[in-house]
Amino acid sequence: DAKTTQPPSMDCAEGRAANLPCNHSTISGNEYVYWYRQIHSQGPQYIIHGLKNNETNEMASLIITEDRKSSTLILPHATLRDTAVYYCIVRVPRYNQGGKLIFGQGTELSVKP
Amino acid sequence: DGGITQSPKYLFRKEGQNVTLSCEQNLNHDAMYWYRQDPGQGLRLIYYSQIVNDFQKGDIAEGYSVSREKKESFPLTVTSAQKNPTAFYLCASWGPGQSSYEQYFGPGTRLTVT
């Protein structure tokens, strides 16, 4: 699975959009980009994933560049409850072969009033 | 509700004692995982199991053991051979989600060994 690079920390004002970048320059053609977040002392929570098209769900939007070497997770209206560590992971979602997710240190997002 | 249960949430042990952390899932997932997390660090894989009665070592398996006798259960034993056992332990499973395959995590067990 490809490695990812994320900034260690970011701040965002409450109510504004939070844009979290991730570089995955060695991603291969069949690897998806997944985003998880971990609120302090809890298990990580799935947010969104995508292959090459931009994706949106009730939590966030995922923008993947055309060359797929980087992506951005967008929280459109950040709230204080979005304060967490956000992990970007790339992997192939093989059927019943989860293999191992490689979690880096992620980005610690602080949403401030 | 489907999900992963880990118990207890907090666990305290004396050095030199083995301790077993529980992980149960009712998601009918074949694959299950144990991760360790130290303060300010990402997750590191200890062991994983892709099917009942089979499991593989992860990146930091030394001092740990697991069993997978039932699909829904994947207990982790932290043995006295583990030099720095104090950490946050997360159990996870992998299986079908809303639109693809996803990894689901339990709430974690915080183990403190003194």
Side-chain angles (χ1 to χ4, degrees), chain B residues 44-62:
Chain B
R44 292 186 290 168
L45 183 67
I46 305 173
Y47 267 98
Y48 65 102
S49 167
Q50 294 183 342
I51 199 167
V52 174
N53 292 323
D54 185 56
F55 48 82
Q56 287 81 41
K57 293 181 179 180
D59 300 317
I60 54 164
E62 185 175 350

Side-chain angles (χ1 to χ4, degrees), chain B:
Chain B
D1 285 337
I4 298 177
T5 304
Q6 290 186 246
S7 60
K9 189 170 177 63
Y10 298 96
L11 190 55
F12 299 88
R13 280 293 183 271
K14 295 288 189 185
E15 194 173 329
Q17 293 179 335
N18 291 353
V19 59
T20 297
L21 281 60
S22 166
C23 177
E24 304 281 328
Q25 56 105 352
N26 61 2
L27 299 165
N28 200 33
H29 290 169
D30 285 313
M32 296 186 74
Y33 308 80
W34 274 105
Y35 293 89
R36 169 185 172 135
Q37 188 173 37
D38 293 287
Q41 303 295 313
L43 281 66
R44 292 186 290 168
L45 183 67
I46 305 173
Y47 267 98
Y48 65 102
S49 167
Q50 294 183 342
I51 199 167
V52 174
N53 292 323
D54 185 56
F55 48 82
Q56 287 81 41
K57 293 181 179 180
D59 300 317
I60 54 164
E62 185 175 350
Y64 299 97
S65 66
V66 293
S67 62
R68 187 80 188 280
E69 297 176 0
K70 298 186 296 182
K71 188 175 187 178
E72 57 270 22
S73 179
F74 190 40
L76 173 75
T77 296
V78 184
T79 74
S80 56
Q82 168 51 234
K83 291 182 173 34
N84 297 297
T86 294
F88 187 48
Y89 290 88
L90 286 158
C91 179
S93 70
W94 172 268
Q98 290 184 344
S99 58
S100 180
Y101 282 78
E102 299 164 14
Q103 189 149 75
Y104 293 83
F105 287 85
T109 291
R110 189 167 298 278
L111 173 65
T112 302
V113 177
T114 56

